[in-house]
Amino acid sequence: MAKSVVIIGCQWGDEGKGKLVDLLTDRVSAVVRFQGGHNAGHTLVIRGRKIILHLIPSGILREDVLCVIGNGVVISPSALMEEIKMLEQQGILVKGRLKISSACPLVLLYHVALDRAREAARCKQAIGTTGRGIGPAYEDKIARRALRVGDLLDESNFTANLREIVDYHNFILREYYRVEPVNYDQVLEQTLELRSNIDHLITDVPMLLAQIRQQNKNILFEGAQGAFLDIDHGTYPYVTSSNTTAGGASTGSGVGPLHLDYVLGITKAYTTRVGYGPFPTELKDDIGIHLAKRGQEFGATTNRPRRCGWLDLVALRRAITISSVSSLCVTKLDVLDGIESLHICIAYYYNGQRFDLLSDSKILDRCEPIYIELPGWQEITAGITEYDQLPHNARSYLQKIEELCGIPIDIVSTGADREQTVVLRDPFAI
Ligand code: IMP
């Protein structure tokens, strides 16, 4: 039976989804991105070689896997062309393997200018966006004025519509934000390369995916960012502008919800967050610094240092519920090696009351985490590929997560490389 597996982040992004997508792509015919844009940064390390992808699905590193960008993704023509070039320079064939929905909204220069102007105007209330124009591009989509990939095919219409939309956004840039407007010719130029290469990329994605399923072949849906950056379910307004939860895989690709068979939720063994916004288990002490250093916690897109903290099960359980997560993959277990005592947040205190679940993210920054303490391990777990070889205390840590989340752990990642993985159950074989 063909299976469609959705991989999503269960925290604030950067959980290591790219590595898992890459690992599981040898079981599939297609990998599909369904939301986000080039704000994502998926780091893949294959036999020591590191590649960072922003827009193209992580399946691109396996030959014969079709890479599909669904309608839920916003596409920057320049970022896409740059990424295709980078991959081809490394000898990775992209042409013929990449398919894009005509309904993907474009991210253009005025979106970037608006993103940056808004962030600057927000001062202390800034979101800490990646500055890539993602939010304004989704705004245009919802406002029904976006230029989309399919519009590139009709040159005269495209240039006329572009003129109108540039004028509109330039008015806001100039008159409201008091910043430099964008240059129409430069925006047009940004689209030229993609326009001349777009024909063979555009595909009816829902029908393509339906066909693949009918042929009894597996599909992997690759989420970007994480549950608490979801525009509806995240720590609003400190979120990204798309649905990062599993439902987004359906609306963002045109595959009906009953054709998504399994959701693999990715969580780090601790927690990180880039950008501003509440983070109850954040550690500003030596352990936080240690996690950042050991885990090389710098954003793959902006190189900003990530904030680090203990694993938060109140948040994780919520992510599991919202996305009907079937099982977990715990990444970066090795980063906890050598820490004497580990903490897991199991509830919050707020206003003198204990909350095992929390629905109002507005009060998150005033919540005190309640922790359980578990003994750490001194042994090195980096690179371990067999569960039985993990130290006793590392296994106890994982078992505690399973017990408190009520779902199994299928995969444990013990290093950045594809090979450094313990696979307990294969999501495609269940
Ligand atoms: P935007 O997506 O650029 O609008 O940024 C909104 C928020 O999402 C900011 O806090 C970003 O740091 C965060 N964000 C966006 N993409 C990623 C990602 O791939 N990993 C982690 N955080 C992200």
Side-chain angles (χ1 to χ4, degrees):
M1 264 292 278
K3 204 158 188 189
S4 292
V5 173
V6 183
I7 287 193
I8 49 138
C10 286
Q11 297 169 310
W12 279 276
D14 308 313
E15 296 90 352
K17 297 174 290 294
K19 166 180 165 166
L20 268 299
V21 172
D22 168 66
L23 179 81
L24 294 174
T25 43
D26 63 347
R27 283 98 163 148
V28 308
S29 290
V31 179
V32 186
R33 273 281 306 266
F34 54 87
Q35 46 74 225
H38 65 308
N39 50 347
H42 292 166
T43 307
L44 311 175
V45 184
I46 294 142
R47 279 171 229 105
R49 186 164 68 138
K50 183 169 162 179
I51 292 186
I52 299 178
L53 296 170
H54 299 287
L55 207 44
I56 294 180
S58 301
I60 201 73
L61 299 193
R62 298 252 193 202
E63 281 171 33
D64 307 325
V65 173
L66 201 60
C67 289
V68 181
I69 300 184
N71 55 279
V73 175
V74 286
I75 292 190
S76 153
S78 52
L80 180 65
M81 294 319 296
E82 223 172 86
E83 202 159 306
I84 292 176
K85 263 185 217 155
M86 179 275 291
L87 287 166
E88 296 198 331
Q89 271 164 11
Q90 308 235 15
I92 297 157
L93 190 70
V94 179
K95 284 204 178 81
R97 293 181 52 209
L98 180 64
K99 301 290 170 198
I100 300 181
S101 163
S102 61
C104 294
L106 296 173
V107 186
L108 297 169
L109 272 180
Y110 46 83
H111 295 124
V112 178
L114 283 165
D115 195 358
R116 294 186 179 165
R118 274 196 199 135
E119 282 287 271
R122 275 175 154 258
C123 298
K124 280 195 179 143
Q125 266 102 44
I127 309 286
T129 72
T130 57
R132 303 267 165 124
I134 305 298
Y138 278 113
E139 282 172 41
D140 273 359
K141 166 179 169 166
I142 300 301
R144 296 168 292 191
R145 62 171 168 254
L147 291 168
R148 309 197 299 178
V149 163
D151 295 328
L152 290 166
L153 298 176
D154 181 344
E155 195 176 328
S156 62
N157 242 334
F158 181 84
T159 43
N161 289 341
L162 182 67
R163 172 73 71 186
E164 201 177 310
I165 199 163
V166 167
D167 285 349
Y168 172 78
H169 286 309
N170 272 347
F171 177 79
I172 296 168
L173 286 168
R174 216 175 20 236
E175 303 301 328
Y176 186 79
Y177 289 112
R178 306 270 172 214
V179 295
E180 274 292 297
V182 298
N183 179 291
Y184 168 79
D185 293 326
Q186 209 183 334
V187 183
L188 189 61
E189 196 184 317
Q190 209 192 33
T191 64
L192 283 181
E193 209 180 346
L194 185 60
R195 262 162 62 193
S196 51
N197 282 292
I198 198 77
D199 267 6
H200 67 282
L201 298 179
I202 295 184
T203 305
D204 183 345
V205 168
M207 292 308 121
L208 171 71
L209 297 177
Q211 257 172 22
I212 295 175
R213 193 173 165 90
Q214 273 157 16
Q215 288 162 2
N216 222 8
K217 292 177 177 163
N218 294 331
I219 304 174
L220 194 59
F221 290 82
E222 175 179 14
Q225 292 89 40
F228 299 105
L229 290 173
D230 184 285
I231 183 72
D232 294 299
H233 300 289
T235 46
Y236 192 90
Y238 299 97
V239 292
T240 189
S241 297
S242 61
N243 283 116
T244 59
T245 40
S250 179
T251 51
S253 69
V255 167
L258 293 184
H259 288 169
L260 302 174
D261 305 295
Y262 197 92
V263 180
L264 180 67
I266 318 293
T267 174
K268 274 181 190 164
Y270 48 100
T271 309
T272 64
R273 170 164 207 172
V274 206
Y276 305 114
F279 181 180
T281 61
E282 181 170 14
L283 292 168
K284 293 186 173 158
D285 58 8
D286 286 352
I287 295 193
I289 295 167
H290 172 82
L291 291 173
K293 237 189 198 164
R294 273 293 297 273
Q296 296 179 27
E297 297 295 355
F298 292 93
T301 299
T302 55
N303 209 28
R304 287 178 292 175
R306 294 178 186 143
R307 299 153 65 192
C308 296
W310 295 120
L311 184 63
D312 182 345
L313 289 195
V314 182
L316 184 56
R317 284 193 296 249
R318 189 171 179 82
I320 290 170
T321 303
I322 289 166
S323 287
S324 60
V325 173
S326 317
S327 69
L328 290 170
C329 163
V330 176
T331 59
K332 293 194 144 182
L333 185 72
D334 54 301
V335 174
L336 300 184
D337 292 357
I339 300 178
E340 208 175 299
S341 159
L342 302 170
H343 291 56
I344 297 180
C345 167
I346 51 156
Y348 299 142
Y349 258 128
Y350 174 70
N351 242 351
Q353 251 186 303
R354 178 189 162 124
F355 292 88
D356 294 281
L357 296 167
L358 194 94
S359 57
D360 184 0
S361 75
K362 276 218 154 50
I363 58 168
L364 262 193
D365 55 358
R366 279 165 281 149
C367 285
E368 279 288 316
I370 300 173
Y371 289 113
I372 52 166
E373 215 174 318
L374 280 87
W377 54 91
Q378 298 308 311
E379 299 91 329
I380 292 169
T381 65
I384 288 183
T385 55
E386 299 294 329
Y387 188 74
D388 294 343
Q389 285 171 14
L390 289 172
H392 174 267
N393 288 352
R395 278 183 279 143
S396 302
Y397 186 77
L398 295 169
Q399 279 155 13
K400 199 61 171 175
I401 297 172
E402 284 185 320
E403 181 196 318
L404 295 174
C405 288
I407 57 168
I409 293 172
D410 276 357
I411 300 176
V412 181
S413 171
T414 56
D417 206 286
R418 191 191 267 173
E419 320 292 331
Q420 296 174 307
T421 315
V422 179
V423 180
L424 292 156
R425 299 194 315 166
D426 177 346
F428 283 99
I430 296 162

